[in-house]
Amino acid sequence: MKRIFRSLLFLLLASTLTLAQRTPPPHKKPARHASAPTRTASARPAAPNSAQAIHQSALIIDTHADTPQRFLDEHFDLAENTPVSDGHIDFGKIKQGNLGAEFFSIWVEPVFKGHYAQRTMDLIDSVYQQAARHPDKMVMAFSADDIVRAHQQHKFAALMGIEGGHAIENDIRLLRDYYRLGVRYMTLTWSNTNDWADSSGDLEDPNVKHHNGMTDFGKDVVREMNRLGMIVDVSHVSDATFYQALLVSQAPVIASHSSSRALTNHPRNMTDDMLRAVARNGGVVMVNFYSAFVDENYRKASSDPEKAKQRDAEIEAYKKAHPHADGSPVTYEETAFIEKKWSAQFPRPPLKSLIDHIDHVATVAGIDHVGLGSDFDGITSSPQGLDSVADLPKITEALVQRGYTREQIDKILGGNILRVMREVEATAKRLQSEGTEFAPLSLEDIELMLGNKVTSAHLVDLIQEHGVSFDLTPAIRARLKAANADQSVLAAIAKGKKK
Ligand SMILES: [Zn+2]
């Protein structure tokens, strides 16, 4: 299964190599200060500096929502109008909240071990399917310019970020494939430590092999992400991984959905020192809305280990009682109702708790380094009044009340992440023009492509571009001939050995 899948991926790689180099169409100036009414402007004109006017004219970008699992596992369509108890994002709520762009999370739940790449591809496909079904309302976006262009066309821009570096299955080529498919950030880990980077989620677990941060391969992943133009996301990683990633990264990083540890003492949150480090790096911290990350009282109440044990036991019991006929794993979506029920026993924190976090990051890291990473559709509790993306205007209202200016609020709502995207894109361009070496092709790579009937001409191109990692011994020559390698391919290999 996996083998076939990887072969398909490689085919895709082989046939789309030039796609990534396509230059984007020239972009026009952002329209967020234009006086033309936006798609959600109300009939009654608002005072020019009212919270409503500021919110409706802003280009609002949220960097983390887990909706793709709903697309894939529940066949949810964005055109459905869902109660907030079921879902945080649909077209109605997007319009009400004036959400301009969303980074949909490609979250690869570790229960898919052995099939991470397939799960990743299925989730990516689920986002494209939504865009294909609703071309009048939604468009796929891959760059800062794409987001601005979508906004001008009054369309919702969909981007994708992978949540959990295990999705690349320790294969840097899969990382490149995901970039080609449009993925524009990757959290180096989710709550699970992988083979090359430590997570903040299992540091206490003695059964997990940790690395004191990142392995050499992990650092290579960061370098390759810089070269591709994929944003390095430090949400979920351990503190050691965080500092090492910042040392290696040549481009600004983001924390796509993390809050402040000084205010709410959760290891998923960032210390003040980490906030200052992101500021020095030029990156941005996108504040998570989850109650247990933004409110110390909620965190303490909900971290009662006895209650957590009960919840986990209930989830396991449900999974046992409802196995899938085809043997595929029971997913988070199916048991989320248990977690929602469990969360509901703790009182929701006030909206003020979330605003305090935004304020704190803006104060410690600076106004240029803070944004919104809701984690909607992946969290089971949010502050009072903030039931879905429809309630985003309440955040702007609270910021205006605290004395934030239009210019500052524009940065928080989307300007900062847009700036970081442009810097990441520029860094990639520079690194690519400096001519970073491609990884040479292995014998197995070439056999895989021959098996998939990649044309000889294309294969010769790839060999010339990448080089090969092996010598063309008589035994290997015979083996490749048996796999239908022709003279042109064999000649390219003979000249392609990299030192
Ligand atoms: Zn997360």
Side-chain angles (χ1 to χ4, degrees):
M1 182 72 183
K2 179 168 159 234
R3 177 81 190 187
I4 293 166
F5 207 79
R6 291 275 299 275
S7 311
L8 284 176
L9 276 179
F10 212 98
L11 248 189
L12 198 69
L13 171 154
S15 59
T16 58
L17 259 182
T18 50
L19 208 70
Q21 283 135 19
R22 209 173 47 183
T23 42
H27 88 279
K28 293 177 208 142
K29 269 204 132 130
R32 60 195 167 114
H33 293 295
S35 52
T38 61
R39 68 194 145 118
T40 47
S42 86
R44 188 161 40 91
N49 278 320
S50 68
Q52 194 199 347
I54 291 172
H55 193 84
Q56 294 305 336
S57 66
L59 170 45
I60 301 167
I61 305 170
D62 178 30
T63 49
H64 200 88
D66 279 300
T67 328
Q69 301 160 72
R70 300 198 63 217
F71 299 151
L72 185 62
D73 299 333
E74 296 181 355
H75 308 291
F76 167 66
D77 189 292
L78 281 171
E80 290 168 35
N81 193 343
T82 38
V84 291
S85 54
D86 290 349
H88 297 137
I89 298 182
D90 56 48
F91 285 133
K93 296 177 178 70
I94 287 167
K95 188 169 179 182
Q96 247 183 299
N98 191 31
L99 179 63
E102 180 67 61
F103 277 86
F104 285 113
S105 171
I106 305 300
W107 173 50
V108 186
E109 197 176 354
V111 293
F112 288 94
K113 194 167 173 60
H115 305 274
Y116 291 151
Q118 181 178 14
R119 179 70 178 173
T120 307
M121 302 288 269
D122 287 351
L123 286 164
I124 289 172
D125 177 73
S126 77
V127 181
Y128 276 89
Q129 288 299 321
Q130 289 296 312
R133 272 188 226 164
H134 307 290
D136 52 328
K137 288 197 178 74
M138 169 175 175
V139 63
M140 296 301 296
F142 310 101
S143 65
D145 284 354
D146 283 353
I147 295 178
V148 171
R149 200 176 305 116
H151 188 62
Q152 288 165 341
Q153 295 167 355
H154 301 174
K155 282 184 186 173
F156 170 63
L159 297 101
M160 297 176 292
I162 285 178
E163 179 162 29
H166 56 281
I168 68 167
E169 298 191 349
N170 304 332
D171 184 346
I172 210 117
R173 288 167 294 201
L174 271 185
L175 175 73
R176 290 194 283 265
D177 289 334
Y178 296 153
Y179 177 86
R180 292 181 188 106
L181 288 171
V183 172
R184 288 298 176 265
Y185 77 63
M186 181 170 81
T187 66
L188 299 177
T189 73
W190 181 60
S191 298
N192 55 318
T193 287
N194 56 43
D195 290 337
W196 45 271
D198 289 345
S199 165
S200 64
D202 57 13
L203 277 181
E204 311 294 317
D205 188 342
N207 300 319
V208 174
K209 185 182 176 289
H210 290 106
H211 320 288
N212 257 325
M214 267 191 290
T215 65
D216 286 343
F217 176 77
K219 291 171 188 171
D220 281 346
V221 170
V222 169
R223 289 186 195 101
E224 186 64 2
M225 289 172 78
N226 285 167
R227 196 189 67 81
L228 290 168
M230 191 188 284
I231 308 171
V232 176
D233 183 353
V234 293
S235 279
H236 280 287
V237 304
S238 73
D239 293 8
T241 301
F242 167 88
Y243 285 109
Q244 289 170 15
L246 259 72
L247 273 179
V248 174
S249 182
Q250 297 200 42
V253 303
I254 64 169
S256 68
H257 58 309
S258 294
S259 304
S260 151
R261 209 182 295 175
L263 299 189
T264 307
N265 189 19
H266 196 292
R268 267 286 278 108
N269 285 343
M270 307 183 66
T271 65
D272 285 359
D273 190 65
M274 291 161 90
L275 295 179
R276 284 186 284 266
V278 171
R280 280 194 300 276
N281 155 277
V284 60
V285 174
M286 313 297 283
V287 176
N288 190 311
F289 297 1
Y290 181 40
S291 297
F293 295 162
V294 296
D295 189 89
E296 186 65 6
N297 292 329
Y298 187 100
R299 184 193 70 80
K300 279 187 178 150
S302 63
S303 59
D304 179 337
E306 277 312 308
K307 283 180 175 158
K309 249 189 221 163
Q310 275 170 25
R311 175 202 56 195
D312 295 345
E314 206 179 321
I315 291 173
E316 282 316 306
Y318 180 92
K319 285 184 173 179
K320 274 218 175 89
H322 301 83
H324 291 177
D326 66 355
S328 63
V330 176
T331 63
Y332 169 85
E333 279 305 309
E334 293 166 78
T335 58
F337 76 97
I338 298 171
E339 224 155 312
K340 282 179 190 170
K341 190 181 66 185
W342 174 81
S343 293
Q345 66 186 305
F346 313 110
R348 291 171 73 181
L351 179 62
K352 176 186 177 298
S353 296
L354 170 65
I355 308 302
D356 286 348
H357 276 259
I358 297 173
D359 213 14
H360 186 81
V361 177
T363 306
V364 176
I367 189 67
D368 292 325
H369 307 284
V370 55
L372 306 179
S374 70
D375 212 355
F376 272 138
D377 283 334
I379 56 177
T380 48
S381 174
S382 55
Q384 289 165 33
L386 203 59
D387 293 337
S388 75
V389 290
D391 295 316
L392 290 173
K394 293 178 186 169
I395 294 175
T396 302
E397 210 178 295
L399 291 171
V400 168
Q401 275 166 16
R402 290 202 189 191
Y404 281 81
T405 65
R406 172 189 282 271
E407 197 194 4
Q408 291 172 327
I409 292 171
D410 274 343
K411 287 182 176 184
I412 296 170
L413 294 181
N416 287 336
I417 181 68
L418 216 49
R419 184 203 75 240
V420 165
M421 287 180 76
R422 291 194 196 287
E423 286 180 31
V424 168
E425 289 163 16
T427 303
K429 219 172 177 182
R430 174 173 63 78
L431 292 174
Q432 286 171 22
S433 73
E434 284 169 5
T436 321
E437 294 265 296
F438 280 113
L441 301 172
S442 67
L443 177 59
E444 197 194 23
D445 292 335
I446 290 173
E447 283 181 327
L448 208 57
M449 287 188 281
L450 287 167
N452 281 297
K453 311 233 179 316
V454 171
T455 65
S456 293
H458 196 80
L459 199 45
V460 168
D461 280 350
L462 286 173
I463 293 164
Q464 286 171 350
E465 194 167 29
H466 290 246
V468 296
S469 62
F470 57 94
D471 283 311
L472 190 63
T473 61
I476 288 177
R477 179 184 285 273
R479 191 167 142 183
L480 286 169
K481 267 188 157 167
N484 288 326
D486 69 14
Q487 274 312 316
S488 67
V489 170
L490 292 171
I493 292 171
K495 279 188 271 180
K497 174 71 194 292
K498 277 206 172 167
K499 295 279 140 40

